[in-house]
Amino acid sequence: ELLQDTLPYLACCERQSEVLWQGFCMELINTERSELSLRELRSLGADQATKDQSFNDLSYRLNELLRRGVPPTWRRHVWMEVLGADALKSAYLGKDWNPRHRSGAHVPSLDAPDVLDFLELVKMGRPLKVDAMAQLKEDCVGAAAWETSEAPGAMDRHLELVSRAQDVCVALILFCRNKAGENNLLSMTQCEGGQSRAPVNYCESLLVLAFFVLVAQGTDAEDAGHFMEQAQHSDGRLTLERSKSVTSNTTWKSTEKETRIRAQHAIDADRAFWMLYTLVDSRAFRDYYAAPAPRTSQIKDMTPMASEHGAMQDVYRLHLCVSRFEPELWVHLEALGFHLSSVFYGAFMRLFAVILPPPSVFRFWDFLFAEVSDPNLYKPEDITKKPVRHALIDLAFGVLRRCKEQLMGCQSALEVKDCILSYFVLLCDPSHVIEICAEAEFFLWDQSSLHSLMTPWHVQEFDRTMPFWEQHFIQFRNMNLHSRELVQGLEVGDSVAKNSHHQEEPGAAPLDDTDRRVTTQNVMNLVIPLLQKAIMPSTSQVGTVGGMFRPTPAKLRHMGPELDTSITGQISSWASWVYEQAMQGQALRQDMPQPPLLLPRPWGAQGEPGGVDRNMLNMHTRQLLGGDWSLQMEQLYQAFQDRPQGHASVLEMFAAMVCSSKGTAGEKAMALFHLYGYATPDHRVGHISPVTHNAISIIDKIQGAALETEGKIQRPPEDMAELKTMALLFRVQTYMSANHEATLGEVYVQSLRPFLSSGVTKDDFQSFTVFEGSMADRVGNNFNRAVRDKRRHAIGELKMSIMWTPADEEVPEVGQLGIYVDSLTFFSKRIEAPEEKNPKVTVCTFDDRGNEVPIKRWDPRTASQTASTIASQLIFGDTYGEHIEFPSTKWRDAFGYLHDRGLGLSHHGWSQLDKEWKWDRRIGDQYSPGDLRMHTANSHKTTTQKANMISLKSCRILAEGILQRSFHYMTNRQAALLADQVFSRCGAVPAILDAVLVLDAPGANLAQFEQISELKEASVAFIDVRHHIVMAHEECVSATPGSINLFGASGSQALAQLQGAAREDGKLNLSN
């Protein structure tokens, strides 16, 4: 009903806006400055030296038109000119590229000028294998979930738009790289203010913006036909000819119409590309989407991984605005454990796309683009100090004020989030959005006459607290610097692969064929396991430490509205502020960061031993990873270490290495999960926010690469205890004497999970390493210690296919096992005369006690089979024996000579051509009965070999570390509660609904009051101390690492803090 009433109103507004813009363009054409773009017109209008009053009037009218909105059909041109995208494109193309003389036979390259052709950029960028492209593909999978309509064709149109948005991002990524792969193509050109052009750092928000920019431009066939003639020479400038309508009686053939639409798609995408690049390069959004500028104090002027500017800073400004002007709402949200960043960080990064209806988003962008490009906004004499992106803060603050009543009635952080998002969804009237922005802008920056004399209070509060945050961020900036040096300056070398039992044996894939960079996969599969095993040799060992807790300084923990709202309290607060301004250096020295504390191990995580010092880590790193790694790890340790104690948390360093490594967000999330995760039986307890199919597909894709090698172990087990955890044990045996067969080697399959199947057999063969000797013999008494400790080399590869089909999803450990052994290859450098070995392969599993259990074989024969058929099968070598095993392919006579078994088996026996032993399918393809039960812990390995669960405390540790190293303006308590809001299955966050102190008058029965309103009605004296409880909770969390309990181990300290805060209020205190 609301939408039905809104649509005619929107159409009327669009027609009125179009009439105004047409009149403005006609008037502009009749002036002497008709050749100017809209951006140039605004700049000259802001110039005080301009004497032409009529020209100033035009500039003023243009600013008013921009604030009133742009007609939908004009946005594609107006946005280009207002932002300066057309000027940037023309300047670059005019200097380095002539579109009228482009040779189609020219081979494009990154050094050639014609690379700027959008279609060429997309064509060259699609196959580019860089981390940004991998992240883009992962984001496009998730983008499919944006469309929830079930209308026919809606999803097809949505996916087409996602594909076009992907092309825009591909062009952006390629455009910002040169042949070295890191620098910007525009590095030699200069932008406004003499700064170098900013390289784009791709993030999902750019894909969202590209998607909505394409939607805003739209496409229809008539407009496409109008633009087709100018496709080769279009620069996107606004001209009267392009804004004219085309006669509606034009007709084309279907193929011509489709061609023109495709051409218009390319032009729209090219226009979106330049708009986005201009946004990234502008002073307004450089902090959002461009790489942070190098700090002069950094080593080698390396570009930092993160900056405290951008969306984090804007959310903090919003936080201060709510604290100053809506203290009651601020206290309520903080008491519920809700942090503004849970909604507005993503909203700011996407410029409110997705959460606002599309017409309202585009109308807001009209206002936003006009504001960020306004030359009058950032003059030094502007005492209001409006931030460049104030429109984002205005809309957020205005919405919070509009729905304050509903928010005050919420009783959980999740309810608050749903309330805010629901309000945005219902903003279907674009004019209402601009009304909210204008009202909030006037309230925050221009309302009081005092603002003409002094800077607004919330701006002063921002300037006052920034030095304290900067001091707090120094330690994390140092961590990021050394983490990035480690990732960019090192490779996973031969020593890492050798110590991790990489297949360096003859016949194995060389390490040069793999990615040697410090990728997320290499960190998790090679680097971290080596160091973990060195620090904690036994897999059953459990550490006592789970990370490092870094407290927020007291000055920042106490930020918020004044506890004493009386006139005396405000005067006292103002005097305190004046003192801090005068003694800022001393205040900073007094508020030095508190020393970090070791966190207790979260439940389920393996943890780390306490007291891992630098010498121990340096020794293990040098032995296992090499000298280069040792030097970098020592510097990393110094950045992470606890200065008073001299220790550092290895888990914290591992998490930082994962976050800074080269990989996608999905890969890093999975790696961090496994860093603290643990294995447990599957359950069916869901999450309050259902996991989408797109997210599941991303996880499956990430785990797919790991699943390919999960079942194939790259090193032999260390002891019998580890051997008995294997799902399958294959033994390769050969003839030694009449009654004795020797074990040449063993193959280990540690999990059946990678081989899950629905029952369809596929000859998907994989190679499994054969390790020399037998584990049982090595631990026996016949071998001395030197032999037992000798490294087991790979002597060959067993090529086979494994299939595990569970009988029931509820009982995944029961099912049918299929094994198809195809061939066995011996490495000639390890095995002498492999053609004489005539190997036999047996297989077994382990029961609950660790005893070997042979696997029974399924016999498909029936009683109706003829005796001759059975006899012929028996000739092949007991094909249907009692257990699964793969007999020798030849028979040996009394003199030791080998002979073929015959009967026309072409794929059976020794192959002189391939130098390997082969088994025919009728011999090598065998199955177990359908009720085979995998015993012991291996039953869980069939479905959950790796960690499938993580504790909520571990999520808090990881979330807090990421937020701190990303420079989010959050205290320890706020970060922990945000993690609870995101990861708790029921969305529960520790909250304080109400807290009051009541003056217990004689004879009063407090038990009869259940609501605060009842206290008011009964005229009982009380004071609301919820704000004091929040401050006390901050102290409790900071004093007790890893705990969010109120009045826990630090209860006495927090109680004293609460009592002191209440006494300062001057009305009641705890002693009353």
Side-chain angles (χ1 to χ4, degrees), residues 61-101:
R61 284 186 57 196
L62 174 59
N63 290 332
E64 286 298 308
L65 284 175
L66 290 172
R67 292 180 70 93
R68 291 174 178 268
V70 181
T73 56
W74 290 53
R75 285 190 174 117
R76 61 178 64 177
H77 313 298
V78 173
W79 286 354
M80 286 283 289
E81 293 199 19
V82 168
L83 292 173
D86 61 333
L88 178 61
K89 177 180 178 181
S90 299
Y92 193 84
L93 300 186
K95 177 181 178 180
D96 295 327
W97 184 59
N98 186 351
R100 291 181 172 83
H101 300 88

Side-chain angles (χ1 to χ4, degrees), residues 76 160 164 218-228 252-269:
R76 61 178 64 177
E160 179 189 0
R164 291 166 56 194
T219 299
D220 74 353
E222 293 181 352
D223 194 38
H226 176 65
F227 277 87
M228 184 66 180
W252 299 305
K253 296 180 180 179
S254 177
T255 55
E256 183 179 358
K257 182 177 180 179
E258 293 176 358
T259 302
R260 291 174 181 268
I261 290 178
R262 287 196 298 269
Q264 181 60 42
H265 283 173
I267 296 174
D268 288 345

Side-chain angles (χ1 to χ4, degrees), residues 319 322-340 404 407-408 410 416 559-565 973-974 977 990-995 1024-1031:
H319 177 89
V322 177
S323 171
R324 170 60 59 177
F325 298 110
E326 297 291 343
E328 184 181 1
L329 178 61
W330 185 94
V331 172
H332 181 69
L333 297 181
E334 283 293 319
L336 294 181
F338 175 82
H339 197 270
L340 295 174
K404 176 182 176 180
L407 293 176
M408 293 299 294
C410 296
V416 170
M559 291 298 301
E562 297 297 335
L563 291 172
D564 187 357
T565 57
R973 171 184 171 272
Q974 291 171 339
L977 300 191
I992 304 165
L993 297 183
D994 289 303
D1024 189 343
V1025 294
R1026 190 161 50 158
H1027 188 187
H1028 306 84
I1029 294 288
V1030 170
M1031 295 294 102

Side-chain angles (χ1 to χ4, degrees), residues 6 22 104 124 167 222 237 240 244 358 367 385 436 488 536 569 730-731 740 763 771 790 799 804 837 947 1019 1024 1035:
T6 303
Q22 286 179 346
M124 296 174 62
D167 289 343
E222 293 181 352
R237 293 176 60 83
L240 185 63
K244 290 181 178 178
F367 177 79
K385 293 186 178 181
I436 294 175
Q488 292 187 346
M536 302 183 67
F730 292 83
R731 285 195 176 95
H740 177 66
D763 297 343
F771 294 98
K790 181 182 177 182
K799 185 178 179 182
W804 172 250
K837 298 306 176 185
S1019 300
D1024 189 343
E1035 295 301 317

Side-chain angles (χ1 to χ4, degrees), residues 411-482:
Q411 294 189 349
S412 69
L414 190 61
E415 188 179 0
V416 170
K417 182 177 181 180
D418 290 342
C419 179
I420 296 174
L421 293 178
S422 299
Y423 192 92
F424 275 108
V425 170
L426 295 177
L427 289 176
C428 299
D429 184 357
S431 300
H432 187 41
V433 174
I434 303 305
E435 179 183 342
I436 294 175
C437 291
E439 178 183 320
E441 179 186 8
F442 177 76
F443 180 84
L444 292 176
W445 315 101
D446 307 315
Q447 179 186 30
S448 174
S449 59
L450 290 176
H451 289 180
S452 61
L453 302 176
M454 61 182 297
T455 304
W457 278 104
H458 61 91
V459 177
Q460 296 184 46
E461 188 75 8
F462 176 83
D463 295 336
R464 181 167 64 96
T465 57
M466 285 308 295
F468 294 94
W469 283 110
E470 276 289 330
Q471 180 176 267
H472 178 55
F473 288 152
I474 289 176
Q475 55 182 324
F476 305 113
R477 187 172 289 112
N478 192 33
M479 296 176 189
N480 291 343
L481 172 63
H482 291 288

Side-chain angles (χ1 to χ4, degrees), residues 953-1004:
K953 283 190 175 182
S954 299
C955 293
R956 293 174 191 150
I957 295 173
L958 291 172
E960 187 170 346
I962 293 173
L963 292 171
Q964 287 177 334
R965 289 190 295 273
S966 301
F967 307 129
H968 283 263
Y969 299 89
M970 286 190 192
T971 64
N972 303 115
R973 171 184 171 272
Q974 291 171 339
L977 300 191
L978 179 61
D980 283 12
Q981 178 184 338
V982 174
F983 295 108
S984 174
R985 291 189 180 276
C986 58
V989 179
I992 304 165
L993 297 183
D994 289 303
V996 295
L997 287 178
V998 180
L999 180 60
D1000 192 359

Side-chain angles (χ1 to χ4, degrees), residues 811-832:
V811 190
E813 65 271 17
V814 177
Q816 185 179 41
L817 177 65
I819 302 175
Y820 182 3
V821 172
D822 178 75
S823 61
L824 173 63
T825 303
F826 289 112
F827 298 149
S828 58
K829 293 185 178 181
R830 296 293 180 188
I831 299 297
E832 184 180 356

